[in-house]
């Protein structure tokens, strides 16, 4: 009996020692594990449903899995967001890549580059009323278009007009504030408005303008080569924390996939971050964005986030028709693909 007790005691002692060793090893591993990397991310405009992939990546823990602590804030336009990134106030931001192209031409511009393109096609559009005799882009001849101050779509209007044989002097642009863009068209005070397809068109339908009376003249359908919103990065952060940048992109891709699979949940998450957010309105907006701007044929072939260098070069040529470059950039000056995962990881299933 004594021998049996001795055997049992030895077994218990061995088990206790093994448990202590495991606990010590786990404690050491916890102490030596890389701490979470803080990322301040700036959106260049107020929240809307197109940002849902970022919010789902946060909600579903995709950023946490990559050991990233991501906080979001908003700027009043792409120039302000780029300034924040240049100063290091934000490590990353979502901006219009065409504004980045213009920004890089400044004398004192930081060497900021885009690392992931969210909108494969720019959302620039002119939204018009069929009842005013507008069905196609050339029908704008002799019409009045409401344009808000700082509207990004107007920067590429000269190239679009030239490409489609439109006499720019025959189209009247009426300056308005962004707050009255949809109301002024709804009231019939202008024939069309310039803006983003997924914002103005959806807002107008929400205001009661019959969908059958609206025509969305997307720049991309008339030869505009421009990409749209892209993630840009502070160059010092990119050099110091390349793995964090790669992790952020992997998490964002996960968020896009979740958005595609569950658009209603994604719209809910976006709407919850908007004062008096309308879930149904944001869902309609999100579905429009996915079809028109994110899940394009190019993306289905080549995967999310990347660019076609030849196409980006052509888009820079179009930007140049309304912007005098001191030194015209090429695709490699604007976009850095080294942080992208392999293509097979970026394909939408």
């Amino acid at each position: 009996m004594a021998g049996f007790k001795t055997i049992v005691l030895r077994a218990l002692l061995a088990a206790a020692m093994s448990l202590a060793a495991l606990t010590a090893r786990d404690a050491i591993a916890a102490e030596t594990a890389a701490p979470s990397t803080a990322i301040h991310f700036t959106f260049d405009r107020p929240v809307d449903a197109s940002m849902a992939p970022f919010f789902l990546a946060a909600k579903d823990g995709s950023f946490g899995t990559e050991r990233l602590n991501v906080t979001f804030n908003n700027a009043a336009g792409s120039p302000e967001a780029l300034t924040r990134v240049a100063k290091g106030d934000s490590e990353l931001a979502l901006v219009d890549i065409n504004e980045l192209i213009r920004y890089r031409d400044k004398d004192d511009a930081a060497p900021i580059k885009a690392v992931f393109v969210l909108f494969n096609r720019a959302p620039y559009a002119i939204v018009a009323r069929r009842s005013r005799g507008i069905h196609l882009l050339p029908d704008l001849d002799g019409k009045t278009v409401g344009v808000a101050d700082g509207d990004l779509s107007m920067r590429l209007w000269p190239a679009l007009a030239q490409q489609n044989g439109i006499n720019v002097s025959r189209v009247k642009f009426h300056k308005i504030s962004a707050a009255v863009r949809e109301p002024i068209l709804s009231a019939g005070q202008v024939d069309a408005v310039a803006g983003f397809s997924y914002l103005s068109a959806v807002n107008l339908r929400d205001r009661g303008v019959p969908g059958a009376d609206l025509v969305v003249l997307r720049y991309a359908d008339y030869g505009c080569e421009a990409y749209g919103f892209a993630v840009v990065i502070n160059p010092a952060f990119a050099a110091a924390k390349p793995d964090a940048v790669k992790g952020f992109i992997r998490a964002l891709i996960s968020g896009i996939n979740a958005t595609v699979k569950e658009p209603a949940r994604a719209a809910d998450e976006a709407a919850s971050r908007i004062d008096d957010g309308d879930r149904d309105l944001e869902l309609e907006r999100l579905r429009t964005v996915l079809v028109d701007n994110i899940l394009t044929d190019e993306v289905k072939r080549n995967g999310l986030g990347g660019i076609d260098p030849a196409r980006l070069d052509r888009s820079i040529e179009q930007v140049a028709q309304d912007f005098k470059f001191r030194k015209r950039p090429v695709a490699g000056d604007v976009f850095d693909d080294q942080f992208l995962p392999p293509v097979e990881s970026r394909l939408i299933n």
Side-chain angles (χ1 to χ4, degrees):
M1 187 68 178
F4 176 74
K5 288 182 177 179
T6 301
I7 292 172
V8 171
L9 287 171
R10 287 177 177 172
L12 290 172
L13 180 61
M17 292 176 65
S18 296
L19 181 60
L22 283 171
T23 303
R25 187 167 69 245
D26 290 344
I28 292 171
E31 289 175 1
T32 58
S36 294
T37 300
I39 290 180
H40 302 87
F41 189 93
T42 296
F43 293 110
D44 72 343
R45 60 198 189 284
V47 172
D48 63 57
S50 68
M51 302 162 188
F54 297 90
F55 302 143
L56 280 193
K59 185 178 181 65
D60 294 346
S62 298
F63 289 132
T65 298
E66 298 290 348
R67 301 197 63 78
L68 302 175
N69 180 15
V70 181
T71 56
F72 300 114
N73 58 78
N74 302 83
S78 289
E80 181 181 320
L82 286 165
T83 298
R84 290 187 191 181
V85 172
K87 291 181 177 179
D89 295 335
S90 290
E91 285 76 27
L92 294 98
L94 186 70
V95 305
D96 186 314
I97 197 170
N98 303 292
E99 281 299 286
L100 172 65
I101 290 167
R102 299 179 187 99
Y103 167 85
R104 287 295 306 269
D105 197 57
K106 294 180 180 179
D107 281 327
D108 57 348
I112 297 171
K113 292 186 180 182
V115 294
F116 187 91
V117 171
L118 179 65
F119 276 26
N120 181 262
R121 298 204 310 180
Y124 308 147
I126 290 175
V127 182
R129 301 191 68 164
R130 296 180 192 276
S131 55
R132 295 299 186 99
I134 302 172
H135 302 271
L136 301 169
L137 197 68
D139 295 334
L140 291 173
D141 186 281
K143 304 297 184 182
T144 300
V145 180
V147 181
D149 289 337
D151 190 296
L152 297 177
S153 66
M154 284 296 97
R155 300 285 191 92
L156 279 160
W157 168 253
L160 191 74
Q162 184 183 60
Q163 192 164 3
N164 290 274
I166 296 172
N167 184 344
V168 293
S169 67
R170 293 279 301 158
V171 182
K172 180 182 178 181
F173 291 104
H174 177 60
K175 289 188 177 181
I176 57 176
S177 75
V180 301
R181 177 166 35 210
E182 286 80 29
I184 203 171
L185 180 61
S186 178
Q189 293 176 260
V190 293
D191 303 301
V193 292
F196 292 163
S197 58
Y198 71 96
L199 291 178
S200 292
V202 173
N203 290 346
L204 283 160
R205 286 194 292 270
D206 185 57
R207 292 185 63 86
V209 178
D213 191 34
L214 291 176
V215 58
V216 182
L217 306 172
R218 301 175 187 84
Y219 280 30
D221 294 337
Y222 286 90
C224 179
E225 298 271 18
Y227 289 93
F229 294 111
V231 175
V232 298
I233 189 163
N234 174 274
F237 183 81
K241 303 278 188 179
D243 290 340
V245 182
K246 293 176 182 178
F248 183 94
I249 291 174
R250 286 193 296 267
L252 176 55
I253 291 171
S254 178
I256 296 172
N257 276 290
T259 298
V260 172
K261 291 177 182 176
E262 301 178 89
R265 184 169 74 91
D268 279 339
E269 185 62 24
S272 72
R273 295 169 181 259
I274 303 171
D275 290 339
D276 300 320
D278 184 322
R279 179 258 191 193
D280 292 334
L281 192 65
E282 294 309 318
L283 179 56
E284 184 179 358
R285 226 187 285 289
L286 179 58
R287 285 174 170 157
T288 300
V289 164
L290 289 173
V291 172
D292 291 348
N293 309 112
I294 296 178
L295 304 181
T296 66
D297 289 340
E298 184 176 306
V299 165
K300 291 174 183 176
R301 289 193 308 270
N302 304 328
L304 293 161
I307 55 107
D308 172 356
R311 177 186 159 190
L312 183 54
D313 282 335
R314 291 195 299 272
S315 76
I316 293 171
E317 291 280 344
Q318 292 180 338
V319 169
Q321 292 192 39
D322 187 55
F323 185 86
K324 292 183 178 180
F325 286 104
R326 292 180 303 108
K327 181 182 179 183
R328 188 177 302 180
V330 295
D333 298 323
V334 177
F335 187 82
D336 186 349
D337 67 359
Q338 68 171 303
F339 302 103
L340 293 175
V343 171
E344 56 268 23
S345 301
R346 296 186 281 117
L347 293 173
I348 287 289
N349 189 346

